[in-house]
Amino acid sequence: MRKCLLIVLLISAALSAIAQVTEVRIGAGWEMTGPIAGFGQMSWDGVKLAMKLRPTVKIQGKEVPVVVILLDNKGDKAEAANVARRLIDVEKVSVILGPCTSSCAMAAGAIAEQKQVAMVTNTATNPLVTQNRRFIFRACFVDTLQGQLLAKFAWENLKARNVAIMVDVAQDYVVGLANYFKREFAKYGGKFFEAYYNTGDQDFSAQLTYVLSRNPDLIFMPGYYAEIALMCKQARELGFKGNFLAGDGADAPEVVQIGGKFVEGLCYTTYFHQDADLSPKTKPFVEAYMKEYNRRPDAFGALAFDAYNLVLDAIERAQSIDPVAIRDALAATKGFEGVAGTISFPPDSGDPIKPAVIIQIRNGKPELLTVVKP
């Protein structure tokens, strides 16, 4: 009798705990100010739209409202760690979205892993972000794949044989992507050399003068949009006639706003384009985004939209707001249909298998060239 009574009490306590779930608290730590604020602002727009379209999550038959707490990491690694700590310890979130960049994601991820709270970055692509971490996931492809695709595109499509690589030594993402590109490009028999700079630099005349003395047919810029736009402008002014290539860090409206006619012809990889046939959900998302913001959707917003819905999907499968239960549900994700492609996580990996989109700036607009599926 006492044993039965104990079981009844435990069940009653569990049901009481469920009944007390009045909201789902999700943290968002993005680069809202600083030199790459465009990334964070685009990501936040994607989540705001996702919240409008799906403001609740169903737990034990009850529609529970979702609250997203946004904090600004300022594009700084130390601040990203502080933001993750505050979201978990003070705001008591069950899961975290962001950051956008690999350096910030690694710093924030170290805290999330330590405190066993799942974190889903929308666009941090460096392999180290998820390496040896059980609680860290991403909604985007990884730089090993991106580097391979960029090298193949440079060799086969742009016919590049001698490549100058502009490396931002302050950014883990840039250093990593440059290395993966070099490794793959060398397999084709291509030659390359490097020039170096730091985030926030605006005068690249010394580096570009050196670069042009080596007669490259392609300048590869695996950095972020502000520096990419300035390098394109200054290289053209110094007489460079070859091609420009970049990674997903170029995918922001500011690259054209800053670079103007000088970024015409720039090619880069990204995760999403409104004209790409990535998923049955792509077109409805594009229509909703255009209606909400009166502009075309971007990759950062699309993947943040997917990250939000991926988290809600995991919460509903877990039927819990316990961080460990959410982590386990995320790890078990198979065939999640996002607007930027289907997400499945391989065993013991937070890296989904995703398609890549290649864009070219034409007449001042990012136009779809092709979609490369793994």
Side-chain angles (χ1 to χ4, degrees):
M1 178 66 75
R2 289 181 178 178
K3 187 175 182 180
C4 291
L5 180 60
L6 178 60
I7 292 172
V8 170
L9 289 172
L10 288 172
I11 293 173
S12 177
L15 291 173
S16 177
I18 291 170
Q20 291 173 8
V21 177
T22 57
E23 63 182 17
V24 174
R25 295 176 70 80
I26 296 175
W30 275 312
E31 297 80 341
M32 301 303 295
T33 60
I36 46 177
F39 292 160
Q41 291 162 5
M42 290 186 290
S43 299
W44 182 234
D45 282 346
V47 167
K48 285 190 294 184
L49 177 60
M51 292 171 63
K52 183 175 181 179
L53 297 177
R54 190 179 179 186
T56 64
V57 61
K58 184 174 286 188
I59 301 177
Q60 299 296 326
K62 178 184 176 182
E63 291 292 340
V64 180
V66 177
V67 176
V68 179
I69 297 95
L70 173 67
L71 296 181
D72 178 16
N73 65 37
K74 304 175 184 178
D76 178 80
K77 290 184 281 189
E79 190 63 24
N82 290 335
V83 162
R85 192 175 288 108
R86 178 179 167 189
L87 286 171
I88 296 168
D89 293 343
V90 179
E91 301 296 343
K92 305 299 182 183
V93 302
S94 296
V95 61
I96 295 174
L97 303 176
C100 297
T101 62
S102 294
S103 293
C104 287
M106 281 188 269
I111 303 302
E113 186 74 17
Q114 175 191 356
K115 294 180 178 293
Q116 298 194 332
V117 174
M119 186 182 92
V120 182
T121 170
N122 51 325
T123 54
T125 52
N126 190 298
L128 295 176
V129 170
T130 56
Q131 185 173 304
N132 298 322
R133 288 180 174 171
R134 296 180 63 252
F135 283 79
I136 313 304
F137 301 84
R138 65 180 113 221
C140 57
F141 50 65
V142 69
D143 277 338
T144 47
L145 171 63
Q146 184 174 199
Q148 292 170 7
L149 296 175
L150 283 162
K152 182 179 181 181
F153 183 79
W155 182 268
E156 295 183 355
N157 296 73
L158 300 180
K159 309 300 180 185
R161 298 297 182 264
N162 183 34
V163 177
I165 306 175
M166 304 293 289
V167 181
D168 182 346
V169 295
Q171 297 291 342
D172 298 299
Y173 153 74
V174 181
V175 174
L177 184 54
N179 287 335
Y180 299 125
F181 175 90
K182 290 187 296 182
R183 184 185 306 169
E184 193 70 17
F185 195 64
K187 294 179 182 178
Y188 290 100
K191 297 180 180 180
F192 53 82
F193 59 96
E194 295 174 302
Y196 307 99
Y197 67 96
N198 280 282
T199 303
D201 287 353
Q202 296 189 348
D203 183 1
F204 303 96
S205 56
Q207 295 97 324
L208 290 170
T209 298
Y210 160 72
V211 161
L212 297 189
S213 73
R214 302 284 297 271
N215 297 315
D217 42 32
L218 171 70
I219 298 179
F220 175 46
M221 301 163 287
Y224 295 131
Y225 57 86
E227 290 83 8
I228 288 171
L230 291 173
M231 284 188 282
C232 288
K233 180 178 185 296
Q234 292 171 27
R236 291 295 189 224
E237 290 174 340
L238 288 171
F240 179 65
K241 303 296 184 183
N243 292 309
F244 294 127
L245 181 64
D248 56 292
D251 193 22
E254 289 87 348
V255 78
V256 174
Q257 294 168 9
I258 298 170
K261 64 180 181 180
F262 298 101
V263 297
E264 189 72 15
L266 168 68
C267 296
Y268 58 88
T269 44
T270 188
Y271 331 90
F272 174 87
H273 188 276
Q274 62 181 15
D275 297 328
D277 184 19
L278 298 171
S279 159
K281 292 189 175 181
T282 302
K283 186 176 179 181
F285 166 74
V286 171
E287 292 172 350
Y289 194 98
M290 292 286 288
K291 181 178 179 181
E292 184 72 14
Y293 297 115
N294 196 31
R295 67 177 189 273
R296 74 175 189 90
D298 52 77
F300 286 81
L303 266 73
F305 184 96
D306 278 352
Y308 173 90
N309 283 296
L310 176 65
V311 163
L312 264 58
D313 176 74
I315 291 171
E316 287 195 338
R317 284 187 284 114
Q319 285 295 286
S320 173
I321 59 171
D322 174 68
V324 175
I326 294 171
R327 177 267 161 205
D328 291 344
L330 281 168
T333 298
K334 302 294 180 188
F336 172 81
E337 204 170 72
V339 302
T342 301
I343 295 176
S344 296
F345 291 114
D348 301 317
S349 173
D351 300 334
I353 302 167
K354 297 287 297 292
V357 175
I358 296 181
I359 302 296
Q360 185 175 41
I361 302 296
R362 294 174 177 167
N363 300 315
K365 296 180 180 180
E367 300 290 342
L368 175 68
L369 273 186
T370 187
V371 175
V372 183
K373 296 183 179 181

